Amino acid sequence: MHLYNTLTRNKAEFVPRDPERVTMYVCGPTVYSYAHIGNARPAVVFDVLARVLRLEFPGLCYVRNITDIDDKINLAAAEKGVAISEIAARYTRAYHQDLAELGVLPPDVEPRATDYVDSIIEMISNLIDKGHAYAAEGHVLFSVASYPRYGELSHRDREEMLAGARVEVAPYKNDPGDFVLWKPSTEELPGWSSPWGRGRPGWHIECSVMAASHLGETIDIHGGGHDLIFPHHENEIAQSTCAHDGTTFVRYWLHNGFVNVNSEKMSKSLGNVLLVRNLLKEAPGEAIRLALLNAHYRAPLDWSDDTLAQAKRRLDGLYQTLRSLSDVQDEPQAELPSGFIDALDDDLNTPRALAELSSLARQANTTTESSQRAFLKSSIKRCGEALGLLQQDPARWFGEGAKDLDIALIEQLILDRNAAREAKDYGKADKVRGRLADMGVAIEDGPEGTRWRRS
RNA sequence: GGCUGGAUGGCAGAGUGGUUAUGCACCGGCCUGCAAAGCCGGCUACAGCGGUUCGAUUCCGCUUCCAGCCUCCA
């Protein structure tokens, strides 16, 4: 498999340090509000990467953290008048629910920052001892000047960064680029006692600590949103590398592109933040997942009014094919077609993989030979599995068993209509079909009788 | 200002130095009582200007436009 590494700006073959235990860390959410589509993208993308890696490396250890200590959480708690822990718990739960709807499998480990404060304090002390950090006015800051390779990931020069600085530099910083490892907490804010007084961790340190705790000093893959390249990941590199005496922190850096909404950046000030839970009212989670995978993960994805509907219709077609294959056996051990594998092995090219999947569906729709149909069904299901799609029963996808539909009535109406057709009373037959259509039910007459689906 | 990455058909979105992406929508045909689904075909796409080349959407340069990051936003 070849992956594009942000650090080298090149696609390179992925060769794990230890094929028995491939290590991947992805920056998870800060739990201060409901997940939006931009949070969903990395979750889905790296879920697919984990699935694909596991095909070759079953010993993959995938860690995705929850950052449950952060000033944004504190702010949300103050605004809503609830306890900070309650905010974190509430949105962690919501995050899990939303991702489950999108077919995202849980990572192997999901550490929470607040469980690692002792280790965070330990790493900070270590950095101070080694001369990479210093305490000032209750804060502890990382000294970027002590790490000459700072800026390597984001391709930034420290001098140049200063020229473009938009923010006032805190007076306790030795260097404007220094960032906070630890900061003091007031009485009402969550805090832990430390050698520098009661306080809480800064933003970046928790990921360095959790990654090292579970995956060791060097990890194979580290992923996250494109915006995290600077400063978050740049700072993680500096901290981790310095704390571990120069040991390589991450071998492959992967970053997913942003989701824009109608060509604009999604932001609270523009009021165009698309929450996963709201999108789930418009379409099934699987359609959202497909929409996310329809673009290459590194490219920006523009979410327009049409995006979800297109994905939904495409899934309709795919499930239609699976439904027509319900008479043949699915072979769970079937191998993935090479074209499909090649696409995913090429820096996780999901659009190309989806094209392969569509091609299999077309073949399945064309052929009548039953062993060939069974083979294609198995291939489609295995491809779907790798992408986290097409795993439900087509009947379920098309709405049978849905609570808001009266199945018995639908079936009775279909019987009525077929009786009318038998009697060549097409006027009545069409009238019944119209009634079903009003209920949101579409009818399909086939050689094996009439079937229906949610329209 | 600095650093990245983009500009592909009605829409979404891959890819390639010369041959079909794929999907959605639309149009025509087949099938069907009619539809739907499916199948077959169509819809003459690669921002602009130069250069390299037998040949460029694909390589190089320039221009225009767009997006992201520049200390706590996935």
Side-chain angles (χ1 to χ4, degrees):
Chain A
M1 163 166 232
H2 286 70
L3 294 172
Y4 181 89
N5 186 347
T6 307
L7 184 64
T8 59
R9 314 268 156 161
N10 257 317
K11 252 190 241 181
E13 189 182 355
F14 175 64
V15 183
R17 278 178 93 222
D18 175 5
E20 299 298 310
R21 184 177 152 84
V22 174
T23 50
M24 175 157 91
Y25 185 94
V26 171
C27 289
T30 299
V31 281
Y32 67 102
S33 67
Y34 289 113
H36 55 66
I37 190 67
N39 296 307
R41 167 120 99 148
V44 166
V45 160
F46 291 109
D47 177 56
V48 172
L49 180 60
R51 288 169 189 252
V52 174
L53 284 171
R54 255 189 252 284
L55 297 172
E56 194 178 350
F57 309 108
L60 170 74
C61 185
Y62 172 25
V63 176
R64 189 189 64 214
N65 72 289
I66 296 273
T67 295
D68 59 352
I69 169 74
D70 184 279
D71 288 351
K72 289 192 295 296
I73 301 174
N74 303 337
L75 194 67
E79 279 173 1
K80 292 196 162 70
V82 277
I84 288 163
S85 57
E86 168 56 24
I87 291 288
R90 178 188 300 175
Y91 292 115
T92 298
R93 211 179 312 125
Y95 183 72
H96 288 151
Q97 285 167 358
D98 291 345
L99 291 199
E101 289 288 326
L102 300 182
V104 175
L105 300 172
D108 296 298
V109 187
E110 189 174 56
R112 295 168 200 227
T114 49
D115 292 331
Y116 293 81
V117 175
D118 289 348
S119 303
I120 288 171
I121 291 171
E122 201 178 309
M123 186 179 275
I124 295 173
S125 300
N126 177 4
L127 287 167
I128 293 176
D129 292 347
K130 289 174 179 164
H132 292 293
Y134 58 94
E137 297 179 30
H139 295 70
V140 180
L141 293 123
F142 184 89
S143 171
V144 292
S146 77
Y147 182 62
R149 290 165 71 179
Y150 191 79
E152 194 175 34
L153 179 71
S154 52
H155 290 211
R156 275 159 220 268
D157 182 276
R158 274 181 45 230
E159 303 294 323
E160 285 172 354
M161 267 156 44
L162 296 185
R166 304 184 298 199
V167 180
E168 272 185 59
V169 177
Y172 45 80
K173 288 187 179 181
N174 286 352
D175 181 298
D178 292 351
F179 57 90
V180 172
L181 299 170
W182 187 264
K183 53 186 164 188
S185 290
T186 56
E187 271 310 309
E188 58 275 15
L189 287 174
W192 289 259
S193 61
S194 79
W196 320 285
R198 185 174 176 278
R200 59 197 195 281
W203 176 33
H204 318 290
I205 191 75
E206 84 283 7
C207 281
S208 283
V209 168
M210 288 186 275
S213 298
H214 291 281
L215 302 174
E217 296 189 353
T218 299
I219 62 183
D220 287 312
I221 296 171
H222 190 134
H226 193 259
D227 59 320
L228 296 180
I229 294 171
F230 189 89
H232 187 54
H233 289 160
E234 194 70 72
N235 292 354
E236 276 189 55
I237 293 174
Q239 293 160 352
S240 294
T241 308
C242 291
H244 302 142
D245 303 314
T247 306
T248 298
F249 173 43
V250 169
R251 304 178 61 241
Y252 298 85
W253 281 99
L254 270 52
H255 294 95
N256 64 274
F258 257 48
V259 180
N260 295 322
V261 176
N262 294 320
S263 307
E264 284 183 314
K265 183 182 175 174
M266 188 166 59
S267 72
K268 279 188 181 158
S269 54
L270 287 168
N272 60 355
V273 174
L274 298 177
L275 298 182
V276 172
R277 27 194 67 203
N278 292 145
L279 291 171
L280 283 169
K281 292 172 192 162
E282 292 175 32
E286 196 171 340
I288 299 174
R289 185 179 178 100
L290 176 61
L292 254 12
L293 295 177
N294 189 225
H296 182 86
Y297 77 92
R298 279 194 283 120
L301 169 59
D302 191 27
W303 198 277
S304 72
D305 301 331
D306 214 27
T307 304
L308 247 191
Q310 282 195 18
K312 160 82 164 58
R313 286 195 208 102
R314 186 167 186 173
L315 271 177
D316 279 340
L318 259 11
Y319 271 116
Q320 197 78 250
T321 297
L322 283 177
R323 175 147 85 168
S324 73
L325 292 167
S326 50
D327 59 309
V328 294
Q329 209 48 45
D330 168 29
E331 169 53 64
Q333 299 305 315
E335 284 189 15
L336 289 164
S338 61
F340 182 83
I341 285 286
D342 289 349
L344 291 178
D345 277 353
D346 182 11
D347 196 30
L348 211 67
N349 194 328
T350 53
R352 227 169 85 202
L354 286 166
E356 293 289 333
L357 187 52
S358 289
S359 157
L360 293 173
R362 190 166 11 82
Q363 290 173 52
N365 289 336
T366 313
T367 187
T368 52
E369 209 276 303
S370 71
S371 67
Q372 185 64 10
R373 291 174 70 240
F375 172 75
L376 286 164
K377 178 181 185 176
S378 305
S379 296
I380 291 168
K381 291 285 278 188
R382 295 295 81 70
C383 291
E385 195 173 19
L387 296 172
L389 299 169
L390 301 174
Q391 296 308 293
Q392 52 181 305
D393 187 330
R396 184 157 171 251
W397 170 262
F398 288 118
E400 293 173 32
K403 291 191 191 86
D404 57 324
L405 289 175
D406 185 341
I407 309 292
L409 176 60
I410 290 168
E411 281 169 1
Q412 183 55 50
L413 288 170
I414 287 173
L415 287 177
D416 292 350
R417 172 169 168 275
N418 282 341
R421 290 172 69 212
E422 196 69 31
K424 303 228 190 292
D425 183 355
Y426 296 121
K428 186 185 175 194
D430 290 350
K431 214 173 147 188
V432 175
R433 182 168 61 199
R435 188 171 162 199
L436 283 161
D438 291 342
M439 292 163 64
V441 172
I443 291 300
E444 293 168 13
D445 297 322
E448 274 120 56
T450 300
R451 62 190 189 189
W452 65 276
R453 63 185 168 85
R454 190 190 286 268
S455 56

